[in-house]
Amino acid sequence: MIFHHILLQIFHNFNQERSISAPFHLLRGKRSGQTVQDVGIYQLHQYFGILPKLTRTKYNEELSTLIENQSLIVKDDGFYELTRNADEQLKKMQKLSLDGWHYRGNEHIYFARLSLIIQTLSHQRAGQMTFVPIQKDEQVQQWAKGFLKANQYKGGQLQPRLLNEIHSSLEQTNVEESGKNILILRLSGYGSSGLTWQQIGFQENMNDIDLQVIYIATLHNWMNIILANSEYFPLLHQMADGLRIKNPLTGSAFHSAELFNNGHSIEEISKIRNLKLSTIEDHIVELAMNEPHFKLEQFVSTVDIKKVFTAVDDYNTRKLKVLHEVVPHLTYFQLRLVLARGEQDAT
Amino acid sequence: MQLESILNKYFGYSNFRPGQKEVIENVLQGQDVIALLPTGMGKSLCYQLPGYIFDKPVLIISPLLSLMQDQVDQMKQFKEKRVIALNSFLNPAQKRTTIHYLHNYRFIFISPEMLLQEHVQQKLNSMELSLIVVDEAHCISQWGFDFRPDYLRIGQVIGKVNRPPILALSATATTKVLRDIESYLNMDGPYKFIHSVDRPNIHLGKMLFQGREDKIDWIMDHVSKSAGPGIIYTQSRSKTESLSGRLLQAGISCAAYHGGMDPLDRQFIQQQFIDGSLEWIVATNAFGMGVHKQNVRQVIHESLPSNMANYMQEIGRAGRDGKDSLAILLYAEGDEEFAKFVGIDDYPVDAHVDSYLSYRSRNEQPSSMIQNGEISETAFRVLDYWMNQLQPAEVRQQLTSMKYEKMRAVEEVMELIDTNKCMREKLVHYFGQTLDNTPNDCCQCCGMDYGKIIHRRENDATYPHLLNWKDRIEILLLGNS
Ligand SMILES: Nc1ncnc2c1ncn2[C@@H]1O[C@H](COP(=O)(O)OP(=O)(O)OP(=O)(O)O)[C@@H](O)[C@H]1O
Ligand SMILES: [Mg+2]
Ligand SMILES: [Zn+2]
């Protein structure tokens, strides 16, 4: 159910302007120009890469259910339509917020650290220092060791402090209780093993993929709280520090962005890097999407930005071709920049 | 120092188990050794103890990642710090450092695939080893011809001259497999310790049914009435999930276990199974070698194992504490066809040979066949190995005969179903041995009463009570107060 809602929301944002495969690539976090730019154009940051292991078979299965319950109509050309039924559901559904674009799977590193630290502290409290570590990754193990030493775990004071931080930070995290329960059931300690996904699904009466999504959403929201209030949660902050990606640009785009930020023009960058102008433009669009301080006005006037968004509303589209007809004096590059920026500059 | 006192000092045991001392003495004299000791008898000790006498590293070649990991974990629990597993869990940087400092470890676990890598080879050639162990050595034959051809190459890389002694360990090797082990590893007149493969405290049952569903009905009934802990083996991932789902519905504490699952889930299941909160595991054969739980009372095969060695390994999870346990083999008409199909399903066929050749002639990497979705990774490994050893026509022949072998292996298991003579005798004969003693309640054919071997299930609610997150995290960190 939850996953279906997410799919509907994504389809809704895509505004019937992409194929039925687009949500699949988005959820898996495909690092192609198209998918990445769509994130900006259709404001899909939340969902990017939240299910990197989603299989095509599973995805198709879920689509079939949406078709069966008459939320979605797939057309011959591979595009789709949302039905009135879907609109109803979208209105009623409660929003689950995610932050896929900024975590990119790093939430799992946070959880791995946390679970190994909890396991260790739990055993230490019980006076049992030999146990099989629940996390096998050598890097996570090294990190946890460093953390425990730096925070003087031997004194026995770390347990209550960490407990306090977890209690109050999770308390402030605005997600359903079931999400928090799931998360804590994935931890193990002395004399108390965590539960498998199957066991949790049975207990909470939820299917696999919904569990995954709630789990990820809970982690994202929790980490956002921790990172925004680091002074109150110093221990958890150490575990989450640096895992939210501030500059999520891809390799090549990253280099162009650096040159751009150092004052080079698009033409210059194209010469320096010996890349096509259009490629550099792609990079600048990506930068615009990701850099909160990016000044859109250096490329498009405020008046024109307004015009674009009026056109988006009037014609209910984000298709470049249509928008270009409405505001023909803007280039495709300018249009893409405005869309990538999203509503944030229009207000 | 006396071996007994070393045993006591490092492991806290007072006596050797049958075979251990003989094997260790020969290893210490620099002799190649093949040791066939039944499941759970203590094969690991045969290289662990010498590791404390030698002053050079022991290299242990082990077939399964999970098995390797378990072994390393166990040794670390015994406070051994100088132990490492060189496997694909390591990232490139970790791998480099690990290889660089390899000579500092006392025990080095490695997969055959990793062993064949060039930089690993270089490092190993530059250092001295005290002993090379091939654990689960029957894989050389069983898997080498099957989905782990790299096992066959072990002998090539170890070489013949100037090498430390080799110790090959297995619980389930036939006389043919023993010969294969000796020749593929280039062993030099090895000392052999062959213990009886029989596990007299495991009683062998079987049940025959008309249809597949009947088996499931029987399992549901049986499991709700009799006590575990137990393992149910079945052949597919989806089957483990559906069957365990039904058992959960029926109020039985159980979990599915297969190769494709979340690594953390795997840890949870082992932990729950060992601490007793989990009564049943419904597993594919991924749950097998190296699992340590002393008091498994029942092993049920919902589907036919693909060969006798697997059957032996899998029932060998039962009764490691030496107490009576029950293994029940279920059969419904047509199961053997299914087992054969599963066995050869993921196998290279003639068309793959053709395709491989055309990639070659176009000067393309044949491995692109995997990316292009023409063949699975395991099937490609087998194909690639043989294409590098033989002419195409011979490869075709080889593939056909391997397929035939696999089907025959299923037929051999079928003999356990078909026979009305002692099942134990069949089993032991298969491994080229003779049965000396027939235990009471030996097997279905000799006559047995399940009720005498296993207990009735007590209806204790084994459920973890539902705690909310606040309480649970508090208990984890501060304990029950
Ligand atoms: N001499 C001994 N005295 C008491 N316990 C022992 C002795 N040797 C080994 N053990 C214990 O027996 C158990 C099984 O040992 P081990 O894992 O080596 O079995 P194995 O023969 O390798 O089984 P498998 O075929 O399933 O891999 C371990 O818990 C080990 O500690
Ligand atoms: Mg073993
Ligand atoms: Zn018998």
Side-chain angles (χ1 to χ4, degrees), chain B residues 7 13 15-17 20 37-45 71 74 78 135-136 171 289-292 294 313 317 320:
Chain B
L7 178 70
Y13 302 140
N15 298 301
F16 282 106
R17 290 203 178 145
Q20 288 178 331
L37 295 172
T39 47
M41 189 78 149
K43 286 185 283 296
S44 319
L45 192 95
Q71 232 130 22
Q74 269 164 31
F78 271 101
D135 200 7
E136 311 291 353
M289 285 180 274
V291 174
H292 286 291
Q294 298 296 321
Q313 282 282 349
R317 302 302 112 203
R320 290 182 159 229

Side-chain angles (χ1 to χ4, degrees), chain A residues 40-108:
Chain A
I41 296 178
Y42 297 102
Q43 294 296 302
L44 291 162
H45 300 79
Q46 290 200 45
Y47 310 108
F48 184 79
I50 57 167
L51 297 170
K53 291 192 190 133
L54 180 66
T55 62
R56 191 76 207 202
T57 331
K58 182 78 189 159
Y59 178 72
N60 287 345
E61 259 171 44
E62 302 292 328
L63 280 196
S64 307
T65 333
L66 287 183
I67 296 166
E68 267 163 41
N69 69 25
Q70 297 177 343
S71 309
L72 184 79
I73 298 167
V74 176
K75 300 196 281 190
D76 289 343
D77 57 1
F79 282 65
Y80 66 93
E81 242 170 59
L82 284 181
T83 63
R84 187 165 298 162
N85 184 5
D87 293 339
E88 295 292 309
Q89 290 183 58
L90 278 165
K91 260 182 234 142
K92 271 189 290 186
M93 83 188 215
Q94 35 170 315
K95 292 255 187 302
L96 184 73
S97 76
L98 288 142
D99 196 0
W101 185 251
H102 292 107
Y103 284 110
R104 306 274 169 107
N106 282 353
E107 64 271 19
H108 299 295

Side-chain angles (χ1 to χ4, degrees), chain B residues 55-315:
Chain B
D55 51 1
K56 283 172 274 175
V58 177
L59 182 76
I60 305 118
I61 303 165
S62 180
L64 284 179
L65 280 185
S66 53
L67 181 63
M68 222 186 281
Q69 199 64 60
D70 291 342
Q71 232 130 22
V72 170
D73 285 342
Q74 269 164 31
M75 294 180 74
K76 283 192 174 158
Q77 274 188 294
F78 271 101
K79 301 262 185 282
E80 175 55 63
K81 289 213 166 87
R82 288 163 58 195
V83 53
I84 186 78
L86 201 54
N87 58 35
S88 50
F89 280 144
L90 301 173
N91 68 32
Q94 292 167 337
K95 212 170 102 185
R96 264 197 307 279
T97 3
T98 308
I99 292 174
H100 187 78
Y101 292 107
L102 210 54
H103 53 278
N104 288 337
Y105 290 98
R106 195 192 292 276
F107 299 103
I108 304 163
F109 286 84
I110 194 167
S111 64
E113 286 77 11
M114 192 68 89
L115 179 69
L116 292 171
Q117 289 182 8
E118 183 134 347
H119 45 297
V120 176
Q121 278 297 303
Q122 273 168 9
K123 178 67 191 184
L124 288 176
N125 285 335
S126 77
M127 59 190 263
E128 278 184 272
L129 296 169
S130 60
L131 177 66
I132 295 172
V133 181
V134 181
D135 200 7
E136 311 291 353
H138 55 276
C139 294
I140 287 188
S141 189
Q142 192 191 331
W143 283 7
F145 289 121
D146 192 345
F147 62 98
R148 291 289 282 275
D150 283 339
Y151 244 83
L152 293 177
R153 297 188 173 115
I154 296 175
Q156 294 167 20
V157 301
I158 301 178
K160 275 189 198 156
V161 284
N162 259 339
R163 60 153 175 80
I166 298 175
L167 168 62
L169 298 168
S170 176
T172 50
T174 62
T175 27
K176 172 184 174 295
V177 172
L178 286 175
R179 274 199 308 274
D180 283 346
I181 292 174
E182 189 172 336
S183 78
Y184 275 100
L185 292 178
N186 294 319
M187 290 176 104
D188 181 19
Y191 167 81
K192 292 180 190 150
F193 189 94
I194 312 290
H195 192 281
S196 166
V197 291
D198 185 38
R199 296 274 313 273
N201 64 319
I202 302 179
H203 303 268
L204 307 172
K206 66 176 168 184
M207 301 284 295
L208 277 48
F209 299 90
Q210 288 280 307
R212 295 244 165 84
E213 260 316 295
D214 301 339
K215 288 189 297 188
I216 305 290
D217 291 342
W218 181 86
I219 290 177
M220 295 301 295
D221 182 63
H222 177 81
V223 168
S224 62
K225 287 184 186 145
S226 65
I231 304 167
I232 301 172
Y233 281 105
T234 183
Q235 78 271 76
S236 71
R237 289 179 183 185
S238 60
K239 209 59 175 287
T240 63
E241 270 158 18
S242 62
L243 183 52
S244 59
R246 283 185 64 172
L247 288 167
L248 277 170
Q249 292 289 343
I252 286 154
S253 148
C254 76
Y257 188 106
H258 52 71
M261 68 201 307
D262 184 317
L264 202 52
D265 275 3
R266 209 185 141 255
Q267 296 297 318
F268 291 160
I269 290 177
Q270 295 232 2
Q271 195 176 346
Q272 293 174 19
F273 201 46
I274 305 274
D275 74 22
S277 57
L278 190 61
E279 204 181 345
W280 287 88
I281 289 180
V282 186
T284 62
N285 60 10
F287 190 80
M289 285 180 274
V291 174
H292 286 291
K293 182 171 170 70
Q294 298 296 321
N295 62 337
V296 173
R297 294 274 76 89
Q298 299 198 51
V299 172
I300 298 175
H301 278 91
E302 189 273 337
S303 49
L304 278 188
S306 50
N307 56 55
M308 288 290 236
N310 281 8
Y311 177 68
M312 199 66 203
Q313 282 282 349
E314 287 160 10
I315 65 170

Side-chain angles (χ1 to χ4, degrees), chain A residues 56-251:
Chain A
R56 191 76 207 202
T57 331
K58 182 78 189 159
Y59 178 72
N60 287 345
E61 259 171 44
E62 302 292 328
L63 280 196
S64 307
T65 333
L66 287 183
I67 296 166
E68 267 163 41
N69 69 25
Q70 297 177 343
S71 309
L72 184 79
I73 298 167
V74 176
K75 300 196 281 190
D76 289 343
D77 57 1
F79 282 65
Y80 66 93
E81 242 170 59
L82 284 181
T83 63
R84 187 165 298 162
N85 184 5
D87 293 339
E88 295 292 309
Q89 290 183 58
L90 278 165
K91 260 182 234 142
K92 271 189 290 186
M93 83 188 215
Q94 35 170 315
K95 292 255 187 302
L96 184 73
S97 76
L98 288 142
D99 196 0
W101 185 251
H102 292 107
Y103 284 110
R104 306 274 169 107
N106 282 353
E107 64 271 19
H108 299 295
I109 299 179
Y110 167 73
F111 187 79
R113 290 172 177 175
L114 179 74
S115 79
L116 187 54
I117 286 164
I118 301 249
Q119 189 198 18
T120 312
L121 290 175
S122 181
H123 280 83
Q124 190 230 9
R125 183 262 310 151
Q128 254 297 335
M129 269 326 266
T130 48
F131 58 89
V132 176
I134 201 102
Q135 298 291 341
K136 303 299 174 197
D137 186 319
E138 195 76 28
Q139 250 169 326
V140 170
Q141 292 188 356
Q142 288 304 331
W143 196 94
K145 266 184 208 155
F147 172 93
L148 290 165
K149 281 214 186 95
N151 293 288
Q152 285 131 28
Y153 75 107
K154 288 204 169 128
Q157 292 312 301
L158 205 49
Q159 285 88 341
R161 277 173 58 207
L162 187 58
L163 180 66
N164 257 333
E165 287 193 18
I166 293 175
H167 267 174
S168 59
S169 57
L170 262 182
E171 197 74 69
Q172 289 174 43
T173 304
N174 188 15
V175 296
E176 296 248 342
E177 287 293 292
S178 63
K180 302 176 189 177
N181 286 336
I182 293 170
L183 203 92
I184 301 300
L185 282 173
R186 295 292 291 172
L187 296 170
S188 264
Y190 177 73
S192 172
S193 163
L195 299 192
T196 67
W197 291 117
Q198 189 194 25
Q199 292 168 327
I200 297 176
F202 180 72
Q203 233 175 59
E204 304 276 323
N205 196 15
M206 248 190 255
N207 69 35
D208 244 28
I209 200 152
D210 282 0
L211 273 182
Q212 296 290 335
V213 171
I214 294 197
Y215 170 78
I216 301 282
T218 310
L219 276 176
H220 287 175
N221 286 285
W222 187 21
M223 290 174 78
N224 280 344
I225 293 282
I226 292 165
L227 291 171
N229 304 281
S230 52
E231 68 277 27
Y232 298 111
F233 313 121
L235 296 172
L236 293 174
H237 180 254
Q238 292 172 51
M239 299 181 211
D241 198 21
L243 296 180
R244 193 172 191 276
I245 300 167
K246 293 217 181 68
N247 182 0
L249 290 191
T250 52

